[in-house]
Amino acid sequence: MNIVLLGSSGSIGLQTLDVVRRHKIKIEGLAVRSDVKMLEYQAREFKPRFVCVYDESCYMDLKTRLADMRVEVLCGKAGLCKLASVDCDMVVNAVVGMAGLEPTIAAIESGNKLALANKETLAAGGELVMKRAEEKNVKIVPIDSEHSAIFQCLSGNNKNSFTKIILTASGGAFYGYSKDMLKTVTKEQALHNPNWNMGGKVTVDSATLMNKGLEFIEAMRLFGAKPEQIEVVVHRQSIVHSAVEFADGSIIAQMGVPDMRVPIGYALTEPLRFESGAKRLSLTETGNLTFEEPDEETFICLPAAKKAAVAGNNACAVLNAANEAAVAAFLEDKLEFYRISELVNDALENVSANKSVSLQTIFEDSAAAIEYVKGKLK
Ligand code: MN
C-alpha cells in the first residue's frame, strides 16, 4: 500500500513512520509545518514523490536541500491540499490544529481514504467533513487512541445498536488540583503528561481537559452519537482506551498499554492486525483499574465543549479556535494556564457563531474567536 503523511515531523507523524518501516508501506508524500531539516532526512529515507512545507518562507531552503533528488517540492496550504489529493491508498492527516481542515476536505473530495489524527478537523468542521465523506463514500478511520478504541469496539457490531460511548480520560497533569492550585501552575508542569508522550498543544489540552472536550465532539461526529450518549470517565491508568455500551447492556472495551503505534497500525491495516511492537499488557501485573467522574467544576473546558456540542457545529468551531489561540498564547508565555479555560468559556459565550455550516462560516467563526482571545491578551 502507499500513503501520504501530513505532519510527518510531529509526535504522531514520527510514530506513523515507525509503523511504515515495520510494514514496508510506500510513502507517496510527506509534509511538515516548518521543520525542513527533518523533512530532508525523511525524504532521503522514504523517497516520496512529493514533499511539502506548510510555512512558505521555508520553501527555498527545502528546495535547495533536496536539489539532488527526484522529488516534487510543494509549499503552503495549496501544497498541503494538493498532497492530500494525490492518488494513494490512504492519507494520514497528523497535522496539528485548524490547518488540518482543508487538507482533510481535499482528501475526501479526491476520494482518498483518511486516517485522521487531526482532531481539530472534526471538532471545528465535523458536520461538513462527515457529510462530504458520506457523499463521496470515503472511509475515515480515527487514529486518536480513544476513537480508535471505539471504532474497534463497534466493528463487527450493528453500528446503530450502541447505546452509549464511554470516553476515557487520563485526567491530565493536574488531576486532583483545585481551582486555586491551577492559578500557579507552570508551563513545564502543563507540558508533562504521566501516560502519553505527545506534542505541546495536545499535552496542554490534556491538562485543561479540553482534549477530552474536543474528543467528545470528535466522537459525536465520527460515530453519529448524541451528546447525551457520550460519558467521559477519568481512568488514570490509560489501559482501557474507551468502551461502547450496546442495547443488550454489554460493554465492549479496548485495552492495552498506551502506545500510539497500536491505533496508528490499526488505522493503516484494519480490519487486519499485525505485530505493532507495543509492550504486552499483563492484567495481573496491572492491578487495579479505576474509573471516576471528571471534575467539571475545576476543569471548565469540558463542560464548555459539551455546551458547544449541543449548540452545533459552528459553536464547536468557536470553541476550538478560541482554545487554539489561548493555548498558543500560553505556550508563548502570554497567558496564564487557568486563563485558557476562562477564555474558551468567554469566547463561547460572546462570539456569536453563524447558523449555516460551510468551510467559509467555519473559518469566519474561527477567526472571530481568535480575534476575541487576542483582544483579551495583555
Ligand atoms: Mn486521545
Side-chain angles (χ1 to χ4, degrees):
M1 88 184 281
N2 62 350
I3 68 165
V4 162
L5 171 58
L6 311 178
S8 62
S9 61
S11 171
I12 297 289
L14 293 176
Q15 294 180 82
T16 300
L17 290 177
D18 224 49
V19 174
V20 161
R21 273 186 207 101
R22 188 175 283 274
H23 297 305
K24 310 217 174 353
I25 292 165
K26 168 99 183 79
I27 295 274
E28 282 295 307
L30 292 169
V32 300
R33 181 163 52 190
S34 58
D35 191 347
V36 288
K37 200 172 157 198
M38 172 85 82
L39 184 53
E40 178 192 356
Y41 186 78
Q42 292 174 342
R44 293 194 186 281
E45 178 180 355
F46 295 99
K47 306 191 171 46
R49 281 207 298 145
F50 303 91
V51 292
C52 174
V53 58
Y54 183 69
D55 182 343
E56 296 183 11
S57 69
C58 303
Y59 174 72
M60 279 321 290
D61 185 7
L62 180 61
K63 191 111 175 112
T64 312
R65 284 171 182 274
L66 298 178
D68 63 317
M69 286 187 69
R70 281 188 49 180
V71 58
E72 190 173 330
V73 181
L74 307 167
C75 72
K77 197 199 295 179
L80 216 52
C81 289
K82 181 174 177 191
L83 202 46
S85 322
V86 163
D87 184 33
C88 64
D89 295 319
M90 182 179 270
V91 173
V92 178
N93 185 349
V95 169
V96 176
M98 270 294 275
L101 180 57
E102 280 162 289
T104 289
I105 300 278
I108 293 170
E109 295 301 337
S110 59
N112 279 335
K113 185 176 174 184
L114 259 170
L116 207 50
N118 173 262
K119 60 187 81 194
E120 293 86 352
T121 286
L122 287 172
E127 243 180 72
L128 187 71
V129 168
M130 296 311 290
K131 187 167 158 266
R132 280 310 281 158
E134 198 175 322
E135 286 163 359
K136 300 287 290 185
N137 202 17
V138 164
K139 189 168 185 181
I140 298 180
V141 186
I143 285 184
D144 207 345
S145 64
E146 295 80 357
H147 304 81
S148 172
I150 297 162
F151 186 88
Q152 294 177 55
C153 295
L154 285 170
S155 67
N157 287 291
N158 179 346
K159 302 269 181 292
N160 300 320
S161 67
F162 76 84
T163 43
K164 191 164 80 176
I165 286 172
I166 299 166
L167 188 65
T168 54
S170 73
F174 304 129
Y175 167 81
Y177 278 46
S178 67
K179 259 196 155 136
D180 269 351
M181 288 162 82
L182 288 183
K183 295 217 159 141
T184 55
V185 300
T186 64
K187 192 159 90 178
E188 287 63 38
Q189 287 174 296
L191 285 174
H192 175 80
N193 186 284
N195 299 341
W196 295 98
N197 182 12
M198 309 172 287
K201 161 106 190 347
V202 60
T203 307
V204 174
D205 283 349
S206 173
T208 59
L209 292 203
M210 185 54 159
N211 184 49
K212 217 43 61 178
L214 296 175
E215 290 182 355
F216 185 100
I217 300 165
E218 198 183 349
M220 223 172 83
R221 303 292 183 225
L222 274 171
F223 306 112
K226 298 188 184 79
E228 61 270 23
Q229 286 180 305
I230 306 173
E231 182 186 11
V232 175
V233 172
V234 173
H235 167 51
R236 294 293 286 161
Q237 298 81 19
S238 294
I239 295 294
V240 173
H241 300 311
S242 277
V244 176
E245 180 201 84
F246 291 90
D248 61 355
S250 290
I251 292 178
I252 299 181
Q254 189 258 345
M255 301 165 73
V257 296
D259 187 325
M260 282 310 293
R261 289 175 301 177
V262 177
I264 293 167
Y266 189 75
L268 295 183
T269 64
E270 64 82 33
L272 304 177
R273 293 175 186 271
F274 297 97
E275 169 61 49
S276 66
K279 239 179 93 200
R280 304 290 113 156
L281 173 68
S282 158
L283 286 177
T284 49
E285 277 168 31
T286 302
N288 290 333
L289 298 179
T290 58
F291 302 92
E292 59 195 298
E293 279 179 24
D295 176 2
E296 296 193 8
E297 301 273 308
T298 306
F299 297 95
I300 56 174
C301 274
L302 184 54
K306 290 181 180 176
K307 222 183 289 170
V310 173
N313 187 90
N314 285 3
C316 297
V318 167
L319 173 99
N320 175 65
N323 179 61
E324 220 170 292
V327 172
F330 170 70
L331 290 173
E332 289 165 16
D333 300 309
K334 289 180 188 154
L335 192 72
E336 295 94 332
F337 178 80
Y338 76 97
R339 292 278 293 144
I340 299 172
S341 19
E342 286 186 358
L343 283 181
V344 166
N345 274 271
D346 292 351
L348 194 59
E349 192 111 323
N350 294 304
V351 177
S352 61
N354 279 290
K355 293 271 180 292
S356 68
V357 179
S358 67
L359 209 48
Q360 193 189 333
T361 61
I362 291 166
F363 279 110
E364 269 174 29
D365 291 332
S366 300
I370 291 166
E371 274 316 298
Y372 180 86
V373 168
K374 284 191 173 158
K376 299 285 169 185
L377 303 175
K378 320 132 289 218

